[in-house]
Amino acid sequence: MTAPSSFLDLDDTDALIDADVDGILRFAALGGAQIRATAAAVDEQILDRLHGLHPRSVVLVCGDARAARAGELVVAMLAARSAVPLVTAPVTPPWVGPLDVVVVAGDDAGDPQLAESVAAALRRGAEVVVDAPDEGPIRAATAGRAMLLPPRIRVPVAYSLLRHLAVFLAVVVAMEATRTAGAVPPLADLADSADAEAGRDQPGSEVFHNPAKALAARIQSRRVALAGDSAVTAALARHAGESLLQVAGVIASASALSDVLAARDRFIARPPASGEPYDPFFHDEQLDGPVPAPPARVFVLSVEEDRRQAERRAAALPDMELVSVVGEFEAKAVPPVPEQVAVLAVRFEMAAAYLRLVGGC
């Protein structure tokens, strides 16, 4: 990534820690811990009823934005490998029956729509996995009949993506371990990759050695667009945009790379109304019009297998940076796509936390 510059000191470790009164850096670093907690629950044989099952479909009922993004990611990563159709839905569909597996995911145990989705799936005889807090209406709806994977590490909703991702992956692997072999790493490996990224992004690490700080410095005070070069990275870009908005108040549009390329001409800085070249020393806004804005900075998210093609496609953009894990795994083979997704999710969540601490946009 290009060497960042910022008028705010992201390398003042003590100031960052003192400013983090809400503990957002710690929450952003807990993605690996959430995955590890899910792995521990799976090791307790909670999903054993799914082993060897050949359902008609697996329906991921996503009650909020983080669960919805995790569902999109799993479908994008595994739909081509799975022998079972993977479907996302906001509520339990009316066609669900005894031949289906339903995973109901969310972060609000008091959400009546989430509780009704659990109850409806159980009434229709489906195998039901609940990825939500085991309390309130959700607990009443399960009535001991569903497989429960509640959060064991509580974090604000903005940081729950990796927990939902781990649960969805665990459910698919429980039924299709052979087909997903190689594509889905063990949850312990997924957690290790997320923890390693959080370690690189810790407050004590300087900007030039800290991917999240460097990303935050490049986003700060700029018009930003996030683009994904595939279905996987487009979903990840939407999560990154939502994290930047929710945590730091930074507005960044997220889209597929093809849509961004179609709007390329609108990213280019316009000259002053006078038609003269812009000179900040002599420019008079009353005579020459508004100061031309710099082109929007586009961050293109890509996984390693698509990186070279993404670089070629995005080269036409006036201010573009590729965000991937390339160059960070020289000592071993590039990890599977879910691990790369976990790394980039932690990176953007940490970057959003740093932007909030230094004042956002």
Side-chain angles (χ1 to χ4, degrees):
M1 185 171 287
T2 307
S5 61
S6 174
F7 61 89
L8 290 174
D9 188 2
L10 281 164
D11 284 338
D12 190 338
T13 304
D14 292 336
L16 287 172
I17 293 173
D18 290 343
D20 190 12
V21 294
D22 295 323
I24 58 174
L25 286 174
R26 182 176 67 85
F27 288 133
L30 286 176
Q34 293 181 76
I35 297 170
R36 219 176 293 281
T38 300
V42 172
D43 289 343
E44 294 167 9
Q45 304 179 341
I46 289 173
L47 299 179
D48 274 10
R49 276 159 46 190
L50 300 179
H51 291 171
L53 201 63
H54 300 285
R56 176 177 59 176
S57 69
V58 176
V59 183
L60 308 177
V61 176
C62 305
D64 53 37
R66 300 289 73 72
R69 294 293 168 253
E72 289 177 23
L73 286 165
V74 168
V75 170
M77 288 187 288
L78 298 182
R81 284 180 170 267
S82 176
V84 179
L86 301 176
V87 181
T88 59
V91 296
T92 298
W95 49 262
V96 161
L99 300 178
D100 302 298
V101 172
V102 178
V103 186
V104 181
D107 294 288
D108 182 4
D111 184 348
Q113 188 167 277
L114 211 61
E116 175 54 29
S117 290
V118 174
L122 289 170
R123 280 198 308 271
R124 295 167 191 160
E127 291 286 0
V128 180
V129 180
V130 178
D131 168 26
D134 183 24
E135 54 193 44
I138 292 288
R139 174 177 290 182
T142 59
R145 294 176 292 164
M147 292 166 272
L148 302 180
L149 287 172
R152 297 185 174 187
I153 296 176
R154 294 301 182 98
V155 297
V157 174
Y159 304 106
S160 63
L161 173 88
L162 291 184
R163 186 189 94 237
H164 296 307
L165 183 65
V167 171
F168 292 161
L169 290 174
V171 168
V172 175
V173 169
M175 293 178 291
E176 298 199 282
T178 302
R179 284 182 175 271
T180 57
V184 180
L187 290 183
D189 292 351
L190 197 67
D192 288 344
S193 291
D195 285 341
E197 177 63 22
R200 287 188 289 269
D201 298 334
Q202 63 179 307
S205 179
E206 296 180 348
V207 171
F208 287 98
H209 305 289
N210 187 317
K213 283 186 178 181
L215 190 58
R218 298 291 289 164
I219 290 172
Q220 192 175 24
S221 303
R222 291 296 300 267
R223 292 186 300 147
V224 171
L226 304 168
D229 65 332
S230 66
V232 173
T233 51
L236 187 58
R238 286 190 284 273
H239 168 66
E242 290 162 355
S243 292
L244 290 170
L245 178 62
Q246 188 173 1
V247 175
V250 173
I251 299 173
S253 65
S255 182
L257 179 57
S258 57
D259 293 332
V260 174
L261 289 170
R264 174 190 174 275
D265 291 344
R266 295 170 181 81
F267 291 140
I268 299 175
R270 293 181 175 85
S274 64
E276 297 294 327
Y278 172 64
D279 186 325
F281 187 78
F282 294 104
H283 187 84
D284 186 326
E285 291 194 24
Q286 292 185 341
L287 298 176
D288 301 319
V291 174
R297 179 164 288 157
V298 181
F299 292 89
V300 179
L301 284 67
S302 180
V303 296
E304 174 60 17
E305 62 185 19
D306 302 324
R307 181 178 57 84
R308 295 188 184 279
Q309 182 180 357
E311 283 180 320
R312 288 194 296 269
R313 293 178 64 199
L317 295 169
D319 189 350
M320 181 277 295
E321 293 197 21
L322 194 75
V323 183
S324 72
V325 300
V326 65
E328 298 168 11
F329 295 93
E330 296 91 343
K332 61 177 183 178
V334 175
V337 171
E339 286 189 46
Q340 297 181 56
V341 166
V343 167
L344 295 181
V346 171
R347 184 172 304 173
F348 271 96
E349 290 173 3
M350 293 289 286
Y354 283 121
L355 281 167
R356 175 171 166 180
L357 294 178
V358 299
C361 56

